[in-house]
Amino acid sequence: MITPLLGTSFIGYSRSTGTEPYGNAVQPGTGTKLEPAYLTAKPEEVEKAMDLAAAAFPVYSNLSGKTRAGFLRAIATEIESVVDDIVERGLLETALPEPRLRGETGRTVGQLRMFAAQIEEGSWVDARIDRADPDRKPIPKVDLRSMLRPLGPVAVFCASNFPMAYSVAGGDSASALAAGCPVVVIAHASHPGVAEIVANAVIRAAKLTNMPDGVFSVLYGGGRKVGQAVVKHPVTQAVGFTGSRAGGTALMDSASNRKQPIPVYAEMSSVNPVIILPGALERGEEALAEAFFGSLTLGVGQFCTNPGLVFLPEGKGETFLTKLKTLIEAGTPGMMLNAAICQSFADSTAAFAAADGVETLARSTTEADPGQGAPAVFIVSISDFLKNEALQGEMFGPATLIVRGTKEEIEAAIPHLEGQLTASLHATDAELAANSSLVHALQTRAGRLIFNGFPTGVEVCNSIVHGGPFPATSDGRSTSVGTMAIFRFCRAVAWQSFPDAALPAELQEANPLGLRRME
């Protein structure tokens, strides 16, 4: 380990001196407590982190895009320098395999560099210019120019299932920093050591690039105690969260009940429906079952894009079901991220199995060890599915529910679904053309539509949408992945009749930054 773990919060460039225990990381499966013990940030240290963020905001937000881009690239470089430490600690804290940890670290540094390129180019600010026309009748036209500006300090909550990509330096932090917002991170109890390693890397990068003290802090102490204090603090201007519906809605309530309500961008719950039409089955039912099984069990089903709901035409797909049953029964249980997630998975699958009209199609025949989740598939008629709203719930793990009905019944059921991150349609090109109303219905329910593919796997790029109607996310107009994520942490500001020299460079007449502008 390059830097020894201390178990304390990062209050800007300083370390916490708290003494109240927060807890140790626990090795999944064994229950072994890992050193060091982590300590809760003291209330006065939370206050100091917020004061530092407030003081950093006017400085950091007015740095050029090129300067902030240098900071983001430095973070990426510093994280790459400790990737072996991240893997070493991550293997202990999360039970994720080494390729997953290295891949997720690569995604994290990749998205930091993606945002760096975006803000260095600069056109994302959406500069708009309407020049004055003093001769316009019946009244003269004033000069108006507008662009996006950062909101202010942002609270970011780390996710349990992504120790890198949705945590300390993940998408929420990267997009907020790119927008010009200081970030205060609330670490997750599932991987505090990885959080500390990455936080050290971010702080090193901040110092190397001369960022203001307070541009970044990481606090230990949990969401209910420290996290709620940060969300309720008047300095905080927005929140990024990935986690449970209960956690996300609690933060939404806190944010909306402030004297000054603020936006919460929460990714919460999605079962990612898969609709299979007859033509897709005719292409090869066994191959389709194998591909579906791979998506279902990827990462022990602990992805927000896990395919937890399948609509299958009545009277079709018997070979698909037979093959899937064989795969599930032969499926190997896998170690889940932590004991709480494992228990939740056991509880949810038990509830589905006991629901009226639901049959267990298959379960893994291998007995799961403590901390493991085993594959399972349930089946229900579309009429029984629609009678029980609980069957739309998420089984966060390698389990899915298959719903049987006619094509007409399936299409009629789509508007009754909750909001989703994704919706997948398996069909022929001819079926796609003949079912535009089905596609439209799916479009109203999901942020990303997939044709002849499966939802697991998110491409980090300009056009990705990782969001959807509630409860997939708290604000279906946004995405937490890709360059569009930057817009969550901005607001539009207009300058009327300002002299050119007093305007931001992005709006000056000569366009010194060479931006694409609406004018």
Side-chain angles (χ1 to χ4, degrees):
M1 193 73 66
I2 292 175
T3 304
L5 299 180
L6 303 181
T8 57
S9 299
F10 295 76
I11 316 299
Y13 288 164
S14 302
R15 297 300 293 267
S16 168
T17 59
T19 57
E20 180 186 343
Y22 172 49
N24 297 66
V26 176
Q27 188 172 20
T30 69
T32 301
K33 288 186 177 181
L34 304 173
E35 294 296 332
Y38 279 80
L39 303 173
T40 298
K42 294 185 290 189
E44 57 267 32
E45 291 173 332
V46 175
E47 190 68 28
K48 182 181 178 182
M50 303 315 299
D51 289 345
L52 286 170
F57 176 59
V59 179
Y60 184 66
S61 63
N62 284 305
L63 295 176
S64 69
K66 183 177 181 180
T67 300
R68 293 204 305 272
F71 175 35
L72 296 182
R73 291 192 177 101
I75 296 173
T77 299
E78 289 298 322
I79 290 174
E80 286 175 329
S81 74
V82 291
V83 65
D84 290 340
D85 287 355
I86 290 168
V87 170
E88 179 185 333
R89 184 70 181 191
L91 288 169
L92 295 173
E93 291 186 336
T94 69
L96 294 174
E98 181 172 342
R100 160 74 187 273
L101 289 166
R102 290 190 181 276
E104 196 181 321
T105 302
R107 168 180 165 172
T108 301
V109 301
Q111 66 191 3
L112 284 161
R113 291 177 173 132
M114 176 188 69
F115 281 113
Q118 180 186 24
I119 61 176
E120 192 168 52
E121 188 278 330
S123 296
W124 71 275
V125 299
D126 191 24
R128 297 167 180 246
I129 296 176
D130 285 281
R131 294 178 175 84
D133 183 359
D135 297 325
R136 190 183 70 174
K137 305 297 182 185
I139 57 174
K141 178 184 176 184
V142 297
D143 188 277
L144 269 171
R145 302 174 185 227
S146 69
M147 60 181 282
L148 297 176
R149 294 294 294 151
L151 284 175
V154 172
V156 170
F157 287 76
C158 294
S160 63
N161 59 332
F162 280 89
M164 292 297 296
Y166 287 94
S167 290
V168 171
D172 288 339
S173 295
S175 54
L177 289 171
C181 301
V183 169
V184 177
V185 172
I186 294 85
H188 199 282
S190 289
H191 38 75
V194 171
E196 186 174 351
I197 294 167
V198 177
N200 264 314
V202 177
I203 295 299
R204 287 196 302 273
K207 290 178 177 178
L208 284 169
T209 54
N210 298 311
M211 294 298 110
D213 188 7
V215 72
F216 197 80
S217 292
V218 177
L219 305 178
Y220 292 98
R224 289 183 177 87
K225 187 170 186 178
V226 169
Q228 284 283 1
V230 172
V231 171
K232 293 175 182 178
H233 199 284
V235 164
T236 303
Q237 296 300 299
V239 178
F241 171 85
T242 297
S244 69
R245 188 187 306 196
T249 53
L251 294 178
M252 292 165 63
D253 289 343
S254 294
S256 64
N257 289 324
R258 289 173 27 140
K259 185 177 180 179
Q260 176 220 353
I262 58 173
V264 174
Y265 296 103
E267 181 200 314
M268 296 177 287
S269 176
S270 182
V271 294
N272 307 296
V274 177
I275 296 89
I276 300 175
L277 297 186
L281 294 167
E282 292 168 5
R283 286 199 298 259
E285 296 187 33
E286 290 197 350
L288 187 62
E290 289 173 353
F292 174 76
F293 176 77
S295 179
L296 174 66
T297 56
L298 184 66
V300 202
Q302 297 168 111
F303 290 103
C304 46
T305 51
N306 173 248
L309 182 64
V310 181
F311 289 97
L312 189 66
E314 189 67 57
K316 304 283 186 180
E318 296 308 314
T319 301
F320 171 85
L321 292 174
T322 299
K323 180 63 174 179
L324 183 59
K325 183 176 186 293
T326 300
L327 292 167
I328 291 292
E329 290 175 343
T332 304
M335 188 61 64
M336 302 195 81
L337 289 159
N338 58 53
I341 287 176
C342 187
Q343 186 60 54
S344 177
F345 177 65
D347 293 343
S348 62
T349 51
F352 270 64
D356 289 344
V358 175
E359 298 179 10
T360 300
L361 177 68
R363 286 183 181 271
S364 171
T365 57
T366 302
E367 185 175 352
D369 291 331
Q372 290 187 328
V377 174
F378 306 98
I379 193 163
V380 69
S381 69
I382 200 163
S383 58
D384 285 328
F385 173 76
L386 293 173
K387 289 175 187 174
N388 187 351
E389 191 173 303
L391 294 180
Q392 289 197 42
E394 185 178 31
M395 294 179 283
F396 191 69
T400 196
L401 177 66
I402 295 176
V403 180
R404 304 300 301 269
T406 66
K407 186 181 78 67
E408 292 75 20
E409 288 174 328
I410 292 171
E411 183 172 336
I414 299 303
H416 297 282
L417 297 180
E418 293 184 327
Q420 307 291 335
L421 291 171
T422 74
S424 304
L425 178 63
H426 287 259
T428 63
D429 288 354
E431 286 174 322
L432 180 65
N435 288 278
S436 58
S437 58
L438 173 59
V439 175
H440 178 74
L442 293 173
Q443 180 183 318
T444 67
R445 295 290 81 208
R448 176 164 57 109
L449 304 184
I450 301 157
F451 183 56
N452 287 337
F454 293 100
T456 41
V458 174
E459 184 68 35
V460 182
C461 61
N462 293 321
S463 54
I464 189 66
V465 174
H466 193 64
F470 184 88
T473 57
S474 55
D475 188 336
R477 298 167 298 177
S478 65
T479 176
S480 62
V481 178
T483 54
M484 283 191 289
I486 198 172
F487 300 122
R488 297 174 299 167
F489 304 120
C490 305
R491 64 183 181 89
V493 178
W495 286 256
Q496 181 174 324
S497 302
F498 267 60
D500 192 67
L503 288 168
E506 292 89 342
L507 299 177
Q508 290 175 3
E509 192 64 24
N511 193 9
L513 302 180
L515 306 183
R516 289 176 283 111
R517 310 191 299 191
M518 182 181 290
E519 53 184 312

